[in-house]
Each structure stands twice: as C-alpha cells, then as structure tokens.
Amino acid sequence: MTRGRFITLEGGEGAGKTVQAARLRDALEARGVGTVLTREPGGSPGAEEIRRLLVSGPVERWEPLAEAMLHAAARRDHVLHTIEPALERSDWVISDRFVDSMIVYQGYGQGADLEVLERLSALSLGGFAPDLTVVLDIPVAEGLRRAGARAESNRYERMGTEFHERVRQGFLARAQTDPERFAVVDATAEPDTVGRAILRVVLERLTVPFDG
Ligand SMILES: Nc1ncnc2c1ncn2[C@@H]1O[C@H](COP(=O)(O)OP(=O)(O)OP(=O)(O)O)[C@@H](O)[C@H]1O
Ligand SMILES: [Mg+2]
C-alpha cells in the first residue's frame, strides 16, 4: 500500500486555517482520497488533554521552553496515535497547525532559543516531517479582527499585537528557508479564492492518486 501524504496548515490567529483545512479535506475526499483532518495542539486523546493546559488560563502561565515541551509531548502522542496510523493505511492527513507553530510561537513570538526548539522538534519527531506545509499569510490586524469575531478568545489570541507581528514574520522566515516543504498563500481573499489557491499548491506538489 502506498503511504498517505501529510499536509499541515500554518499561520497566525484568524488566518483561516480551520476553515481551509475542512475545505481541503472535502476537496481531497471528492477526488477519492481518504483523508483525516486533525489539529494541534491536540489530535489524539492524550494530546487533547495537554491542549487544555496550553490554550486556557493566564498568558504568563508557562515559561516559553516549558510551553514548547508541552507542545512537543502532545505532538509526539498525536503522531504516534493519530497521524502515523492514518498514513500507514494510505489516508492523507491534514493538520490544522503542527511543529512550525511551536517554533514560531515559542521561538519568534515568546523568545525561546530557536536552535533549542529545533533540537526539541528533532527529539520528539525523529525524522518525521510534513510533506507540504501551507502558510496562510494575513496582516495581523485583519487576522485578529476575524478571530475576535468568535465568541471566546483563547490564551494565544490574548498575547498582543507585537507578539502576533513576530509570529507572522516568523512563519514567512521559516517558509523562505525551506521552499521545498513550504508554500505561502495569501489568506486575505475570500474563502473560495484561498481554497482554490491551496488546492492548486497541493495538486502541484503532491501526486493525488486516481480514484479506485
Ligand atoms: N477568507 C476569509 N474571509 C473572511 N473571513 C474568513 C475567511 N476565512 C475564515 N474566515 C473567518 O474568520 C474567522 C477565523 O477563521 P478560522 O477559524 O478558520 O481561522 P484560524 O486560522 O483557524 O484561526 P485560529 O488560529 O485562531 O484557530 C472565522 O470566523 C472564519 O469564518
Ligand atoms: Mg483555528
């Protein structure tokens, strides 16, 4: 059996990751590709428990490296229990955020050492990496405006505009250093347009198997 492919959607608050992850799942399913939609932090029972520690409570709750370690522990559980088994049975996996959010939020955003975060990432994932990472790029004010329209803000949304500006630049910087894995998509357009741009990248970069 051919192994499935692993796609991650990244970007700041309100960029449209959750909306577009579901659209991409639908587009792939319509092409006959079995698809699992998942998210970080979370995506497996253990990792969802850790998620609660990360997304709620006061902004200053965690020291940045401790916070990254919680993300890494959750991610290892997520990969072992959800992502790997899906890829093994030939499903494609779409994750709403993954390791790049940890490196960008805790590193660029909160000031943890980038090299230490890379080591933590390698330690927790081994050689495992996404086949494709789509960064949804949007000006911070527009993303926060979209996210702010939702009922409840989470801990990360409360971290302030300068933090979110560093996060935006962090994603763009990471994408530039690894253009083979990353693609940056303008997320300011309407959902249909953004969805078409994402699907175009997926079809260009990854071979979608024929139905049946
Ligand atoms: N292209 C778009 N144009 C206008 N509004 C959008 C667009 N995409 C998403 N939205 C709306 O913006 C809000 C944020 O979108 P979504 O939840 O998908 O973002 P997100 O990247 O997952 O955010 P977070 O990082 O906070 O989880 C939602 O209310 C969604 O309906
Ligand atoms: Mg979301």
Side-chain angles (χ1 to χ4, degrees):
M1 274 205 306
T2 327
R3 197 175 148 82
R5 311 304 299 270
F6 180 37
I7 302 166
T8 59
L9 295 189
E10 296 279 10
E13 309 299 315
K17 297 175 296 296
T18 302
V19 165
Q20 294 299 336
R23 282 177 171 251
L24 181 58
R25 186 254 333 262
D26 294 347
L28 289 174
E29 291 272 347
R31 283 169 170 75
V33 182
T35 308
V36 170
L37 179 55
T38 186
R39 70 167 180 183
E40 286 214 348
S44 61
E48 288 289 334
E49 286 198 40
I50 297 174
R51 177 187 177 95
R52 259 179 274 140
L53 302 172
L54 289 162
V55 301
S56 64
V59 164
E60 304 303 331
R61 183 174 190 184
W62 303 108
E63 181 271 333
L65 184 56
E67 181 158 344
M69 287 171 162
L70 285 170
H71 278 285
R75 181 167 315 110
R76 187 168 173 83
D77 194 78
H78 182 204
V79 170
L80 290 173
H81 293 112
T82 302
I83 300 174
E84 266 295 343
L87 296 174
E88 285 286 319
R89 55 174 193 263
S90 302
D91 283 345
W92 286 37
V93 177
I94 301 166
S95 189
D96 178 349
R97 295 191 184 276
F98 195 64
V99 66
D100 299 295
S101 278
M102 177 190 80
I103 290 175
V104 166
Y105 275 65
Q106 275 70 61
Y108 291 83
Q110 297 176 328
D113 188 286
L114 290 174
E115 200 184 314
V116 170
L117 293 176
E118 293 287 358
R119 276 174 21 224
L120 178 62
S121 164
L123 187 68
S124 58
L125 290 178
F128 185 83
D131 295 298
L132 171 66
T133 297
V134 178
V135 172
L136 295 180
D137 183 54
I138 191 167
V140 169
E142 173 66 7
L144 289 177
R145 192 189 58 71
R146 283 184 187 174
R150 289 185 303 224
E152 259 182 65
S153 74
N154 74 28
R155 184 168 157 263
Y156 290 109
E157 285 163 29
R158 295 192 291 271
M159 287 187 178
T161 307
E162 283 171 22
F163 167 86
H164 291 291
E165 192 55 55
R166 291 195 297 276
V167 162
R168 183 187 186 195
Q169 297 311 325
F171 279 122
L172 294 176
R174 275 185 81 66
Q176 260 193 344
T177 62
D178 190 357
E180 286 209 1
R181 171 160 74 90
F182 283 92
V184 178
V185 165
D186 176 4
T188 55
E190 59 181 282
D192 275 351
T193 310
V194 178
R196 274 196 302 274
I198 294 171
L199 187 60
R200 192 176 322 121
V201 170
V202 169
L203 298 178
E204 275 169 14
R205 304 260 190 122
L206 307 175
T207 311
V208 176
F210 283 108
D211 195 357

